[in-house]
Amino acid sequence: MTSAPGRRSSTFTRLLRHGFTDPSAAERLLDGPELTPVRSDPVLLAALGATADPDLALLGLVRLLEAQPGPTDRQELLDTVIAAKPLRDRLLGVLGASAALGDHLARHSGDWRALVTYEPSDLHPGIEEFERGLAGATDPVSLRVAYRRCLLSIAARDVCGTTEVAETAAELADLATATLRAALALAEADAPGDAGLCRLAVIAMGKCGGHELNYVSDVDVVFVGEPVEGADEGKALRAATRLASHMMRICSETTVEGAIWPVDANLRPEGRNGPLVRTLASHVAYYQRWAKTWEFQALLKARPVAGDLALGQEYVDALQPLVWQAAERENFVGDVQKMRRRVVENIPAAEVDRQLKLGPGGLRDVEFAVQLLQLVHGRADASLRSGTTLDALKALAAGGYVGRADAAQLDEAYRFLRSMEHRIQLYRLRRTHLVPEDEADLRRLGRSLGLRTDPVASLHREWRRHASVVRRLHEKLFYRPLLDAVAALAPGEARLSAEAARERLVALGYADPAAALRHLEALASGVTRKAAIQRTLLPVLLGWFADSADPDAGLLNFRKVSDALGKTPWYLRLLRDEGAAAENLARVLSAGRLAPDLLMRAPEAVALLGDGDGGGLRPRPRAHLEQEILAAVGRADDAVQGVTAARGVRRRELFRTAAADIVGSYGTESQPAEADAGALVELVGGAVSDLTAATLAGTLRAVVREGWGDTLPTRFAIIGMGRFGGHELGYGSDADVLFVHEPRDGVDEGEAARAANKVVAEMRRLLQIPSADPPLLVDADLRPEGKSGPLVRTLKSYEAYYRRWALVWERHALLRAEYVAGDEDLGRRFVEMVDPLRYPEGGLGEEAVREIRRLKARMESERLPRGADPKLHAKLGPGGLSDVEWTVQLVQLRHGARVEGLRTTRTREALAAAAAAGLVSEDDAGVLDEAWVLATRVRNAVMLVRGRAGDTFPTDPRELAAVGRYLGYGPGRAGDMLDAYRRTARRARGVVEELFYAD
């Protein structure tokens, strides 16, 4: 077959045409002595070209011929390959798809004869046939050889298309069953005394139990043991444990013939920390009392396969009723979905895009979705209780629990992905779920799946297409039929029954499933474009609502917003097209009352939730807010209209801030929750304080403009106090302020005072007029003489009062004084005037310190609400806001004159400065800061959830769960949240006792 130099032989060209990638090496192999009799046979070349990897198939054939014991055996093999098409296709197909099985044939040169038979029973063997195939094994090594011989026939039927992927997976599970039985028999033969003491049942779990095993996979099992009649239970269980351990080693350990597969018993009660073998009663007791949701999910696939099958069936019969009660468990759906998310999060970042099994759009997505639906509906419908994914999916579609079109697409995608997984593992017989990166491996994989034209590109295209289908459908699979239950369906399409829809909604956490179905019907029924878009959005939204503490409120609020905005052209388009908008809206609508209430008063604010021109959820700077409000006031016809406009801006920006806070606390699918709780506190405090200052500035302008035109007879400034001055306002905080004025040159002091008092009275009235906007309460009780003193004073009057009469509490209150609105120069001079009072030279005297301590003690005893649990009161309780703030402020009063960093109105800044100056240890500062941030977040959470301010945790379970969700505690963890708060507050109180009360 040699050719002239520089010219390619006709054989070289034919080899290229038949799919060989290294025709030169193939020519050399064909010219070798092993293939001399058939080197020019066109049948052989065509058969090699039909394999996944012709080069690999040819090399495997030559190695097999070389391994034959003599010329007669070699000739018999060649004659059979050329004459018998079934053997030729099977043998070459296996050699072209699996280097590992090629190695096996080279070591065991007679095993090729296992592929010759082509009887009907050989086409679909079961457990009995495989048991016969393994019957001759007398030790672990011979068991491996026999196992690989049986595997040859399964792989041959697979690569030739005689069996499809589900049948192949079932055959692999049956072979595993036969192998477990053979391994147990070997273990019992080695220890007949142990075998005589106990009954041992092997329960297959996972893919083996579900009759859908891979070529190379852990075989998950659970062991059940009982003593034989008259035997001691303890001795029997120890004997059963030795037998089970030996059986596992027989399958798992590596010998000269390699390993079969690992046997994994970690799905047993308590996992690897629990006993390997338990009695049936012990298993039942564990599942009745301790088992988690995922453990019931795993039992879906439980199947007795080896040992005492009667005992195994007793195990299944005893536990199956518990499986079908799992959906009644609190937070069932959330637990299952959280488990799925955790699996994805644990995939190494470098592997996510190559993961066939665990990655987004992978096999596990289909399996989790199907199992979730089985657990919800299988209690009432026994037809759904299959352990096999594709059979269960078919039953779900037949019963109307899944749309037929969705089921068909998922079935096709699952079969393709499983075929990929099979062929990847078959090549080296290694346990992997990663798509290879090497070009040759991808080419072989693509050709093995029938993709012969540009196999690499075609493989990537098909894989991405099917993965995209799975990603799109796996979560919607659970929610979409809820819409079909209330919508008109195509003829022949099964409908989810009202009872099944109710079950599914209850499983999702809906307290009133009947009302939820009415909302879905109102939103999604009909043939309008609006209804069609809603049917696209709702399956995803329902999942996000279910992730909250109050899914019912989320769906009701969504209906209200949709009713209000349904006729606008942009609303549904925003939710459909802007990735963040729909999820942000779902989070906001189901997180509590405040944000939905703000949104309902002006539903167009939903535009803020998108990614586009609405400005997103970032709070706007104070200068921008003030500019917008002052411009609106300037356009208004009168003060009422002007302040109404200012309050409208305030409402919209409060919604923006609340939405940013909620989304940051909950996180989204694309953005995890904000890890820095302090950043969220400062976001809210800064945004609400800036918004309040801008609103007051606008209201002041409106009142002055209406009463006096451009210029008030007196200069007028507003000083923020308390949390307002500290940039720490919450959603429900009043605005603590002082009003200061200074008559203009030539203006009578009486006239100036009357004008200033009229301004204050009118501002307070306008900001509290009942309207759709939340009122802004202005509180001036921190003024000199408290409620008994005048509402507004001149700067000189303040100076005279503070110089002569100022009490300790008034100096203390001035630590928070900061200019917020009005005449900036007057505000600056007021702050300069009070600086010596709040940061006294030489610090505080001992009597003043004792007075501050007495004031705090009196405040706690008098103001703590009757019946409130002090340990859970975020403001006045031990380790709460008051404790931390008074401690920090005492440090400021004592040392502010000499430590510049302490001269701030902000608690966290002052605490950090105290630590930097060595006045408070870093550890103590950290404890106080953590407590202050947590207490502030609790107050913000209560306002967001209940729609009204509060300083303690709600008593209503659903409201308490919503506060927990905001604080990062998942379903069912409200107790953990309260315990964590108590611990944090207790540590802070210890620091306060040392810093505030110790001399």
Side-chain angles (χ1 to χ4, degrees):
M1 293 182 68
T2 57
S3 59
R7 293 185 60 190
R8 288 183 172 177
S9 70
S10 59
T11 303
F12 186 99
T13 306
R14 283 165 56 208
L15 290 171
L16 278 177
R17 194 164 59 246
H18 280 294
F20 286 83
T21 57
D22 190 351
S24 299
E27 272 193 294
R28 287 193 296 274
L29 290 173
L30 287 168
D31 283 340
E34 295 78 17
L35 290 175
T36 300
V38 295
R39 64 165 58 105
S40 301
D41 194 309
V43 170
L44 177 62
L45 271 186
L48 288 167
T51 66
D53 188 338
D55 302 84
L56 182 65
L58 176 58
L59 177 61
L61 179 60
V62 170
R63 291 178 65 208
L64 178 56
L65 287 166
E66 289 174 341
Q68 296 305 303
T72 305
D73 302 279
R74 191 175 301 128
Q75 192 59 48
E76 178 191 356
L77 173 57
L78 276 177
D79 290 345
T80 310
V81 166
I82 298 301
K85 176 174 170 52
L87 171 76
R88 182 170 63 245
D89 291 344
R90 286 175 160 204
L91 177 60
L92 296 182
V94 168
L95 291 173
S98 178
L101 289 178
D103 292 342
H104 172 85
L105 285 169
R107 287 195 308 275
H108 304 280
S109 59
D111 279 4
W112 66 269
R113 291 181 176 85
L115 303 178
V116 173
T117 55
Y118 204 71
E119 300 301 323
S121 62
D122 179 55
L123 293 180
H124 299 290
I127 297 172
E128 290 182 10
E129 287 79 12
F130 289 126
E131 284 187 298
R132 285 197 295 271
L134 302 175
T138 56
D139 56 49
V141 173
S142 59
L143 180 60
R144 280 152 176 70
V145 175
Y147 174 84
R148 292 288 173 91
R149 189 181 305 123
C150 293
L151 197 63
L152 269 173
S153 64
I154 294 176
R157 286 187 294 275
D158 179 16
V159 298
C160 291
T162 307
T163 54
E164 50 86 35
V165 65
E167 293 172 322
T168 300
E171 288 184 14
L172 289 165
D174 285 343
L175 175 57
T177 298
T179 305
L180 289 170
R181 292 179 182 181
L184 182 57
L186 290 175
E188 290 174 338
D190 277 356
D194 284 346
L197 279 175
C198 64
R199 301 168 63 197
L200 177 63
V202 183
I203 311 297
M205 307 285 280
K207 283 190 161 29
C208 184
H211 249 100
E212 49 188 17
L213 198 61
N214 302 325
Y215 277 102
V216 188
S217 175
D218 288 359
V219 171
D220 296 309
V221 298
V222 168
F223 296 104
V224 189
E226 294 287 345
V228 298
E229 189 173 349
D232 176 76
E233 182 177 295
K235 290 181 179 178
L237 284 178
R238 288 192 290 275
T241 300
R242 288 191 292 271
L243 289 173
S245 299
H246 193 186
M247 186 205 82
M248 293 172 69
R249 289 196 303 274
I250 289 171
C251 296
S252 304
E253 286 183 346
T254 301
T255 70
V256 292
E257 288 292 336
I260 301 176
W261 19 245
V263 178
D264 188 341
N266 287 338
L267 290 178
R268 67 186 185 269
E270 300 180 75
R272 65 185 61 197
N273 297 319
L276 184 62
V277 182
R278 288 175 182 257
T279 63
L280 176 57
S282 176
H283 276 285
V284 172
Y286 174 84
Y287 281 101
Q288 286 177 334
R289 188 170 184 185
W290 303 110
K292 297 180 174 63
T293 299
W294 70 264
E295 294 177 282
F296 292 105
Q297 187 178 352
L299 284 174
L300 278 170
K301 297 182 180 293
R303 178 172 63 95
V305 291
D308 191 318
L309 296 180
L311 176 59
Q313 192 57 49
E314 288 178 46
Y315 169 91
V316 171
D317 293 342
L319 294 182
Q320 282 300 299
L322 300 179
V323 173
W324 306 114
Q325 295 169 15
E328 299 173 6
R329 295 163 66 94
E330 187 178 2
N331 308 310
F332 161 72
V333 172
D335 285 348
V336 176
Q337 293 175 331
K338 188 187 299 178
M339 183 74 179
R340 173 68 190 117
R341 287 194 291 270
R342 194 177 300 135
V343 169
V344 174
E345 289 165 1
N346 288 334
I347 302 172
E351 295 182 2
V352 170
D353 292 337
R354 296 168 54 214
Q355 257 286 356
L356 268 179
K357 179 181 178 181
L358 303 178
L363 293 162
R364 189 57 61 86
D365 276 348
V366 181
E367 293 159 0
F368 262 63
V370 169
Q371 290 164 21
L372 186 61
L373 290 168
Q374 285 182 278
L375 288 168
V376 170
H377 299 296
R379 182 182 57 165
D381 189 344
S383 71
L384 306 180
R385 298 180 183 180
S386 171
T388 306
T389 301
L390 291 177
D391 290 348
L393 182 58
K394 182 179 179 181
L396 287 164
Y401 303 101
V402 173
R404 290 186 187 276
D406 289 348
Q409 288 186 65
L410 274 182
D411 182 284
E412 181 188 3
Y414 189 75
R415 289 174 188 275
F416 182 84
L417 296 173
R418 282 302 301 272
S419 296
M420 281 185 70
E421 183 183 46
H422 277 186
R423 301 302 164 78
I424 290 169
Q425 293 183 350
L426 181 59
Y427 176 53
R428 292 287 186 192
L429 286 182
R430 290 178 182 166
R431 181 173 178 262
T432 180
H433 308 285
L434 293 177
V435 177
E437 296 177 296
D438 181 75
E439 186 85 5
D441 291 335
L442 291 169
R443 182 176 184 275
R444 180 190 316 106
L445 178 57
R447 283 174 60 89
S448 76
L449 296 170
L451 306 171
R452 298 304 172 95
T453 304
D454 196 0
V456 175
S458 299
L459 173 67
H460 275 292
R461 185 169 58 250
E462 287 298 295
W463 171 32
R464 296 305 180 194
R465 179 174 71 85
H466 287 297
S468 174
V469 166
V470 173
R471 268 198 309 274
R472 179 170 53 86
L473 289 180
H474 92 275
E475 283 193 354
K476 293 182 182 179
L477 199 70
F478 193 80
Y479 306 107
R480 191 190 302 274
L482 290 169
L483 306 184
D484 293 341
V486 297
L489 301 183
E493 181 73 46
R495 180 193 298 272
L496 193 68
S497 70
E499 180 58 23
R502 189 198 69 78
E503 287 176 345
R504 198 172 294 191
L505 286 163
V506 168
L508 283 167
Y510 286 83
D512 189 349
L517 281 172
R518 288 196 299 273
H519 298 324
L520 291 175
E521 184 173 12
L523 289 162
S525 61
V527 295
T528 64
R529 179 173 174 274
K530 179 176 76 171
I533 296 176
Q534 288 281 24
R535 286 194 291 271
T536 301
L537 291 169
L538 276 165
V540 184
L541 289 168
L542 284 170
W544 288 324
F545 294 148
D547 190 39
S548 74
D550 196 349
D552 299 82
L555 182 56
L556 171 62
N557 289 330
F558 180 69
R559 181 180 175 184
K560 288 179 178 178
V561 173
S562 295
D563 287 346
L565 295 176
K567 294 182 180 179
T568 61
W570 55 268
Y571 167 63
L572 290 174
R573 187 170 66 242
L574 171 83
L575 298 185
R576 183 191 64 194
D577 298 341
E578 296 212 21
E583 185 175 5
N584 289 346
L585 179 62
R587 299 297 184 203
V588 166
L589 293 180
S590 55
R593 296 179 183 173
L594 178 65
D597 286 350
L598 292 169
L599 183 59
M600 297 309 171
R601 290 166 181 161
E604 64 277 2
V606 78
L608 300 175
L609 299 170
D611 301 323
D613 297 335
L617 296 180
R618 290 186 304 278
R620 298 172 66 204
R622 175 175 167 180
H624 292 184
L625 293 170
E626 197 165 313
Q627 183 180 15
E628 180 183 0
I629 288 174
L630 291 176
V633 167
R635 293 190 297 270
D637 294 333
D638 54 32
V640 172
Q641 193 180 96
V643 175
T644 299
R647 290 175 66 182
V649 173
R650 178 172 177 266
R651 177 201 60 237
R652 183 196 70 209
E653 295 302 320
L654 276 175
F655 172 74
R656 188 198 302 269
T657 303
D661 189 17
I662 291 166
V663 171
S665 298
Y666 274 59
T668 65
E669 291 183 356
S670 59
Q671 186 73 32
E674 172 59 63
D676 182 0
L680 288 171
V681 164
E682 293 187 354
L683 177 145
V684 174
V688 177
S689 300
D690 285 348
L691 180 55
T692 301
T695 305
L696 289 176
T699 305
L700 176 60
R701 172 72 62 86
V703 170
V704 170
R705 182 167 168 260
E706 178 157 288
W708 294 273
D710 291 336
T711 305
L712 190 67
T714 184
R715 295 181 179 85
F716 189 92
I718 304 173
I719 307 300
M721 300 288 284
R723 296 191 180 286
F724 185 18
H727 297 259
E728 296 162 1
L729 283 180
Y731 299 109
S733 302
D734 295 349
D736 289 319
V737 298
L738 298 178
F739 298 107
V740 57
H741 78 105
E742 184 179 67
R744 296 186 184 279
D745 292 342
V747 176
D748 177 70
E749 287 194 8
E751 179 189 352
R754 286 190 294 276
N757 277 286
K758 185 175 179 181
V759 166
V760 171
E762 188 65 2
M763 284 182 67
R764 298 177 80 184
R765 182 185 74 83
L766 291 172
L767 287 170
Q768 296 178 50
I769 290 176
S771 76
D773 301 314
L776 175 56
L777 301 179
V778 177
D779 187 340
D781 288 353
L782 292 176
R783 65 188 182 269
E785 303 177 76
K787 293 181 180 180
S788 303
L791 270 173
V792 59
R793 292 173 180 259
T794 64
L795 181 62
K796 288 181 179 179
S797 174
Y798 275 109
E799 187 173 11
Y801 174 87
Y802 285 135
R803 186 173 60 249
R804 187 171 183 184
W805 305 110
L807 300 174
V808 172
W809 75 263
E810 291 173 312
R811 293 185 176 202
H812 185 193
L814 287 170
L815 284 169
R816 302 281 217 154
E818 181 173 287
Y819 160 79
V820 293
D823 189 297
E824 190 172 355
D825 178 68
L826 178 60
R828 178 184 56 76
R829 285 187 283 129
F830 178 92
V831 170
E832 289 174 351
M833 179 267 293
V834 301
D835 272 350
L837 294 166
R838 55 184 177 177
Y839 310 126
E841 286 292 338
L844 285 182
E846 287 306 310
E847 179 57 35
V849 171
R850 284 194 291 273
E851 176 65 15
I852 287 177
R853 289 171 180 162
R854 282 196 297 269
L855 284 169
K856 184 175 188 313
R858 190 172 74 226
M859 181 185 73
E860 289 177 7
S861 63
E862 292 177 358
R863 295 176 60 185
L864 192 69
R866 182 177 298 174
D869 181 353
K871 293 179 181 178
L872 292 175
H873 199 280
K875 183 176 182 181
L876 300 177
L881 292 172
S882 175
D883 263 2
V884 177
E885 289 168 0
W886 282 64
T887 300
V888 172
Q889 289 159 8
L890 181 58
V891 173
Q892 289 180 282
L893 287 165
R894 281 175 152 176
H895 305 286
R898 66 180 183 83
V899 179
E900 185 177 355
L902 292 173
R903 298 173 210 158
T904 175
T905 62
R906 306 181 188 216
T907 302
R908 298 187 77 202
E909 276 189 12
L911 183 56
L919 302 171
V920 177
S921 73
E922 291 286 349
D923 288 346
D924 285 350
V927 169
L928 293 178
D929 184 73
E930 180 186 9
W932 187 87
V933 167
L934 178 57
T936 303
R937 294 205 76 212
V938 169
R939 298 180 87 212
N940 286 344
V942 170
M943 185 66 188
L944 284 169
V945 169
R946 303 181 68 192
R948 60 181 187 274
D951 295 315
T952 190
F953 290 90
T955 55
D956 177 80
R958 183 157 277 199
E959 290 180 346
L960 185 64
V963 169
R965 188 69 183 81
Y966 170 86
L967 294 176
Y969 292 87
R973 295 190 58 209
D976 294 342
M977 169 183 67
L978 297 179
D979 289 345
Y981 181 85
R982 290 188 186 99
R983 281 195 305 273
T984 303
R986 188 167 58 247
R987 288 197 301 268
R989 180 65 179 193
V991 174
V992 170
E993 295 278 1
E994 182 180 337
L995 296 180
F996 186 81
Y997 289 109
D999 290 325

